[in-house]
Amino acid sequence: MQRREFLKTSAIAGSAYFLFRNRALAATADAHIEVLLGEPIATIQPEIYGHFTEHLGGVIYDGVWVGEKSSVPNVRGIRKELVEKLKAIKAPVIRWPGGCFADSYDWRDGIGPRDKRPRRTNFWVDDPQAQKLPNTAVQKFEPNTFGTDEFVDFCHQSNAEPYIAANVRALSPLSFDQWVEYCNSPAHSTTYADIRAASGHADPYNVRYWGIGNESWGCGGNFTPEEYSNEYRRFTAWVPDYGVDPRFVASGPNQDDVDWTTQFFEDILHRRPIRPPFGWSVHNYTNALEALNFNDQDAYSLFYHGTSTEAIIQNMWTAMSVFDREHQTRMVVDEYGPWYGPGTEVDPTHIFGQQITMRDAIVTAFTLDIFNRHAEKVCMANCAQLINCIDSLFLVHEDKFIVTPNFNVFEMYAAHQGAKAVRAEFSAPSISFTDIVKPDRWGPPRQGERSVQRSLNGLMGSASVNGKELTLTVVNPHLADALNTQIAVRGGNAASASATVLASSDIHAHNTFEQPNAVTTKSAQATASGSTVSFTLPPMSVAKLEITLS
Ligand code: AHR
């Protein structure tokens, strides 16, 4: 046999072998993933892995701030263990002071000597959970112990960038200019820089991210889109730069309100054009009644409704592109997560506090996957909220501290930060379930409830590449079935693969102060051969595959 002929024959034999082998694998696999290395999406901005802290319930007081004299280990009053954990997950950015609180907050109350700061009525004073608390509760009447200096210190200790939301409902653009001046004017240049220096911070904070209001269609002022775009102009026109190039985030729609988006962008880019905002804020909570008491149908329903974040991102992007053809503005999903009724908070002062189960970890994980898959559209996201609140990573009270399964998700997904998202296709049998649709998702069962047959994707995830490292994160939302999964790496070979898995045999599983490690990650086996990686995803699990490309 001629050498050429031999090579041809052996190539055919080789491909037949691989084809056969792949068919054999395909026959035994329940699920398939194709990672297309040659189809990059965009760099995943680390800020997609951001957090949110509001003066609400136990988030700031008891959560972040324990005070310098506390027996709880702290650095300048800030909870030490929290900071260590934020560094571990490379928290890139933290949003503050709200939320709805932001549009009732006067930043001047929170600067200068702490013992001289005024007490004010907290935005959340009339919340039913707050009403049960005594009037001495900081959750009702804000002592302003934690202000701008403490927040920036918290960010600096955690290696995160501060993202501050301005009060558009009740303060003026001048007051906003002065807050920027307080944070960013050079040492000893202004009276506010001197006040900052007197608190021990001569050097400017160089805060880049500024939210122009919060939910301006609702608690942030009940504005119409026209009114809000006028406010946006007034608040952002000629704000001093101080060499920081501030990045303004405009207050976007309530969930899928495309009209709000269209009217805002038409106004500021067409009717009377100004510089487009850096970010367009989008909020999307997935509401259900109970954090711990739920059945399989409820879990699938939450998953199904949680995936609406993807459609919202796509719909907003389309609406924005009508006026912002170059896509100068990208999306900032600065509040998201599953949100339940009260009853599972670890302390009565923790308004909106809730337990976090495997169900929430799954929603949080596939939401982060959605952001990765739309890395060209989403430039920041902030999970609501960091600690003792809605979709928290931490539950703490006084000296008790636990991480929730959401923390494990952020820990696993940190590998995506700054990597290049690449297209990946996920296929597995879809999950069919009966969803109970209520006129009001929050409310008790009532007349008008109807059942709808729905279908949920059986496998979700995202992929990114950093040099030779391919990170693939995957969610199996099925509550009973494991997925024997075959991953095809198109355009490369897998030299080795390892897996980390967050799973439990019970979707209700969660950590408590008594059992802090009931849910945690484990290493698992993944097999790499040529361009194929094989791995079994347990039921109701989140997994990270780290694949080294050759
Ligand atoms: O995160 C709790 C609240 O939800 C925020 O204050 C507000 O922005 C949203 O409605």
Side-chain angles (χ1 to χ4, degrees), residues 131-147:
Q131 280 177 0
K132 293 186 194 142
L133 304 174
N135 286 340
T136 47
V138 293
Q139 287 74 18
K140 289 173 84 171
F141 297 101
E142 168 64 48
N144 283 300
T145 315
F146 190 91

Side-chain angles (χ1 to χ4, degrees), residues 6-18:
F6 167 77
L7 285 176
K8 214 170 129 199
T9 315
S10 60
I12 292 167
S15 54
Y17 166 75
F18 281 114

Side-chain angles (χ1 to χ4, degrees), residues 127-129 132 285-294 302 337-347 350-356 359-360 388-391 438 440-444:
D127 179 85
Q129 274 180 278
K132 293 186 194 142
Y285 288 103
T286 313
N287 301 328
L289 276 179
E290 304 257 5
L292 290 179
N293 181 16
F294 59 90
L302 192 85
W339 188 345
Y340 310 106
T344 61
E345 58 278 10
V346 297
D347 187 75
H350 296 184
I351 302 166
F352 301 159
Q354 61 187 35
Q355 253 302 351
I356 302 297
R359 173 172 70 155
D360 303 300
N388 290 341
C389 198
I390 299 165
D391 193 34
K438 294 182 196 156
D440 171 5
R441 284 188 64 75
W442 285 100

Side-chain angles (χ1 to χ4, degrees), residues 80-405:
K80 198 162 176 255
E81 200 169 356
L82 174 65
V83 165
E84 281 161 9
K85 293 280 189 246
L86 287 176
K87 286 202 279 202
I89 56 172
K90 299 198 212 141
V93 62
I94 305 171
R95 178 175 182 246
W96 173 85
C100 295
F101 177 86
D103 281 282
S104 68
Y105 178 60
D106 188 340
W107 65 274
R108 286 168 295 210
D109 293 340
I111 60 168
R114 273 187 217 122
D115 58 350
K116 301 257 165 7
R117 296 184 191 172
R119 276 170 295 134
R120 305 282 186 212
T121 306
N122 184 296
F123 172 88
W124 295 103
V125 67
D126 293 326
D127 179 85
Q129 274 180 278
Q131 280 177 0
K132 293 186 194 142
L133 304 174
N135 286 340
T136 47
V138 293
Q139 287 74 18
K140 289 173 84 171
F141 297 101
E142 168 64 48
N144 283 300
T145 315
F146 190 91
T148 304
D149 299 327
E150 291 76 17
F151 170 64
V152 174
D153 189 19
F154 171 46
C155 292
H156 287 173
Q157 288 187 37
S158 311
N159 296 336
E161 269 209 66
Y163 167 23
I164 296 182
N167 180 342
V168 170
R169 179 183 70 84
L171 290 183
S172 68
L174 177 63
S175 164
F176 174 57
D177 279 7
Q178 290 172 343
W179 200 359
V180 177
E181 181 179 296
Y182 180 79
C183 290
N184 294 350
S185 62
H188 312 301
S189 61
T190 64
T191 301
Y192 277 128
D194 289 345
I195 300 174
R196 191 185 66 219
S199 302
H201 310 280
D203 288 337
Y205 291 145
N206 296 333
V207 176
R208 276 198 303 169
Y209 297 114
W210 294 94
I212 308 303
N214 168 77
E215 299 193 350
S216 301
W217 39 265
C219 64
N222 282 331
F223 292 114
T224 65
E226 297 80 11
E227 288 165 345
Y228 176 67
S229 40
N230 284 343
E231 293 302 322
Y232 180 83
R233 286 172 201 290
R234 295 176 69 229
F235 272 73
T236 57
W238 305 106
V239 176
D241 187 282
Y242 302 115
V244 170
D245 191 17
R247 296 175 162 190
F248 298 124
V249 179
S251 176
N254 180 13
Q255 297 189 310
D256 208 10
D257 182 358
V258 169
D259 184 55
W260 177 275
T261 299
T262 302
Q263 295 216 39
F264 176 83
F265 280 94
E266 181 171 16
D267 198 286
I268 62 140
L269 295 184
H270 179 67
R271 215 165 280 140
R272 173 124 177 66
I274 56 170
R275 185 178 171 189
F278 164 80
W280 183 236
S281 147
V282 172
H283 292 181
N284 189 33
Y285 288 103
T286 313
N287 301 328
L289 276 179
E290 304 257 5
L292 290 179
N293 181 16
F294 59 90
N295 60 27
D296 290 2
Q297 234 177 16
D298 298 328
Y300 286 136
S301 172
L302 192 85
F303 298 159
Y304 176 86
H305 292 284
T307 60
S308 66
T309 302
E310 184 149 31
I312 292 175
I313 290 169
Q314 277 160 332
N315 293 346
M316 293 310 140
W317 194 246
T318 308
M320 289 156 77
S321 64
V322 174
F323 300 100
D324 179 18
R325 298 216 174 105
E326 308 294 316
H327 284 302
Q328 296 177 81
T329 302
R330 293 202 280 162
M331 263 168 275
V332 171
V333 187
D334 52 18
E335 293 186 26
Y336 68 89
W339 188 345
Y340 310 106
T344 61
E345 58 278 10
V346 297
D347 187 75
T349 59
H350 296 184
I351 302 166
F352 301 159
Q354 61 187 35
Q355 253 302 351
I356 302 297
T357 64
M358 267 310 297
R359 173 172 70 155
D360 303 300
I362 286 174
V363 177
T364 304
F366 70 62
T367 305
L368 293 170
D369 285 318
I370 292 171
F371 300 150
N372 291 341
R373 287 204 301 274
H374 295 275
E376 82 285 20
K377 305 184 186 82
V378 182
C379 63
M380 191 200 286
N382 309 81
C383 188
Q385 301 195 13
L386 180 69
I387 185 165
N388 290 341
C389 198
I390 299 165
D391 193 34
S392 296
L393 283 73
F394 309 98
L395 296 179
V396 312
H397 180 49
E398 296 168 347
D399 61 350
K400 297 195 268 300
F401 184 106
I402 51 169
V403 302
T404 73

